[in-house]
Structure formats: C-alpha cells, structure tokens
Amino acid sequence: KAGVTQTPRYLIKTRGQQVTLSCSPISGHRSVSWYQQTPGQGLQFLFEYFSETQRNKGNFPGRFSGRQFSNSRSEMNVSTLELGDSALYLCASSLRTSGVDTQYFGPGTRLTVL
Amino acid sequence: DQQVKQNSPSLSVQEGRISILNCDYTNSMFDYFLWYKKYPAEGPTFLISISSIKDKNEDGRFTVFLNKSAKHLSLHIVPSQPGDSAVYFCAARRSQGNLIFGKGTKLSVKP
C-alpha cells in the first residue's frame, strides 16, 4: 500500500498570506490528523477529521482550519500567516476502527514564513 | 501542562549495547501508548505500542515496558545499531482521543 502523501513538501510564504496544505491518507484509512512540529515543542496536535467531520481539535487559534473530503483526503489552511507558524506540518492517517489503532505519518510539509 | 514528558533530550550509546529511552505521563486516563522514530526531513515512523492492560510488549530488538502505578514507560533497544540513531517520540492517548506526544529524545548510537 502507498503511504501517506503530503503536498507540497516545502513552502515559503510571507507574513499575512494564507496557505493550504494537502494530505492523502493510506487507502482505506478514514481518519486524518494534523500536527505541527517546531524545535523544542515536539509534535502538537492540531485537529482530527473522520468521515468528513472534525472529531478532535487542539489548542490552536482559529487561523488554523481544516477539512476532509469524501475520499478521505484532507486539507489544512492557515490564514494571516505569522513568523511563528514556520514549522513542519505533519499529517497522519489511521483506520480508527477501535479505541486502539496506530497513526501513520506522512513526510510533512516544511513551511517557512518570512 | 505537559502530559507526556521525555526528560532526556539526548542519549548516547555504544553499538551493541542496550538503549533505554524513558517517558513519563500524568494523565491516568491514557490507555494506549506508542513509540515513534523520526529521522530528519521525514515523518515519524511507528515503532511499537502497548495497551494499558499489558505491562510489556516485544517486537524484535524493541521492547516497551509500562508501569502504570508509576505512570512510566520505557523503550529498550537491544542490541543498539548505528541505524537506530534518530529522535524517538513517546505518545499517549485516551480511547478515541488524540495522540499527545513528548518532546522527543535524540538517540546517538556510536560504532
């Protein structure tokens, strides 16, 4: 099976712009979660989508939003970019058929805000 | 408030010896724990997991131990190999909840 794919891999934006990141989960996986990784902060949970519905949300401002399509592909949008939004954004997919399942990560999108 | 803590930012081990990575958590509602390995410029790769109903899970060179009373888990790698050099993240979750990660421990295995 193909793994989780994320596009683009690298992105450079300037403050105030907006950005959309894309994630294609592993075939058959219905849950997609997004994480932000910054130096010294580890991976911080942004949100999770399951069957096109947001199921969990982390502690991020409303500038961060997402959605999931009927084919389970997901997009994440960040509006009014700030310098502090520079990070590696990771997408993970899982089956979510039980309380215990494993998330598989994509390679990430490296966002740099200038 | 950090619910999952990896107190050692880095660990250096000689090839062939045991690597022990530690993780502490504060939320007694966590019922599933995972370890991920991450190389630079790549996403985290799942290594091994353990349910709260168990105290040990083994997969090849990797063993995870869970001590619920101490709210502590550890990952043992035996024998350590240079290819194991990476950042290791501990993660925990409640049923249907999201994963909460520690900040990672950078393991260096020296030949």
Side-chain angles (χ1 to χ4, degrees):
Chain A
K1 269 187 181 177
V4 178
T5 58
Q6 291 186 246
T7 56
R9 291 293 311 277
Y10 302 91
L11 206 47
I12 299 176
K13 292 284 187 178
T14 56
R15 279 184 302 172
Q17 286 187 309
Q18 76 163 19
V19 66
T20 299
L21 312 181
S22 181
C23 171
S24 293
I26 292 171
S27 177
H29 285 193
R30 295 169 64 192
S31 168
V32 173
S33 297
W34 288 89
Y35 296 84
Q36 180 195 66
Q37 185 188 14
T38 53
Q41 290 299 315
L43 282 78
Q44 294 184 284
F45 172 75
L46 281 154
F47 28 65
E48 178 196 7
Y49 286 87
F50 181 83
S51 294
E52 302 179 65
T53 301
Q54 187 179 88
R55 186 149 69 173
N56 283 308
K57 189 177 189 308
N59 191 25
F60 277 81
R63 298 186 297 108
F64 292 81
S65 63
R67 59 177 175 169
Q68 187 180 33
F69 302 95
S70 58
N71 61 359
S72 293
R73 192 177 70 84
S74 176
E75 286 182 348
M76 189 193 100
N77 185 275
V78 187
S79 63
T80 320
L81 284 166
E82 301 177 359
L83 295 178
D85 296 333
S86 294
L88 180 67
Y89 289 89
L90 292 158
C91 163
S93 76
S94 66
L95 284 167
R96 272 296 205 179
T97 54
S98 68
V100 289
D101 71 337
T102 300
Q103 292 189 351
Y104 296 90
F105 284 82
T109 295
R110 171 71 64 184
L111 172 65
T112 302
V113 182
L114 302 175
Chain B
D1 179 30
Q2 221 182 324
Q3 297 186 63
V4 178
K5 297 179 185 178
Q6 294 177 256
N7 291 319
S8 299
S10 62
L11 174 68
S12 184
V13 171
Q14 206 66 32
E15 180 180 4
R17 306 293 285 268
I18 184 172
S19 295
I20 300 177
L21 296 101
N22 294 303
C23 178
D24 297 297
Y25 61 95
T26 58
N27 191 336
S28 58
M29 299 297 289
F30 288 145
D31 58 7
Y32 193 52
F33 305 88
L34 306 90
W35 284 94
Y36 285 85
K37 177 171 75 172
K38 187 179 184 302
Y39 295 116
E42 294 183 12
T45 303
F46 169 72
L47 264 180
I48 192 169
S49 63
I50 188 167
S51 165
S52 60
I53 62 173
K54 295 186 176 181
D55 54 20
K56 177 182 174 181
N57 188 26
E58 195 171 349
D59 184 1
R61 296 186 297 114
F62 302 91
T63 303
V64 56
F65 295 92
L66 176 62
N67 182 334
K68 286 195 296 280
S69 61
K71 294 191 179 68
H72 177 83
L73 66 156
S74 61
L75 174 68
H76 292 211
I77 307 174
V78 184
S80 301
Q81 300 173 353
D84 296 330
S85 297
V87 177
Y88 289 77
F89 290 98
C90 166
R93 55 173 280 195
R94 300 185 300 171
S95 180
Q96 301 302 320
N98 55 275
L99 279 179
I100 297 176
F101 284 83
K103 294 188 177 182
T105 296
K106 184 176 182 179
L107 173 65
S108 299
V109 180
K110 302 192 182 305

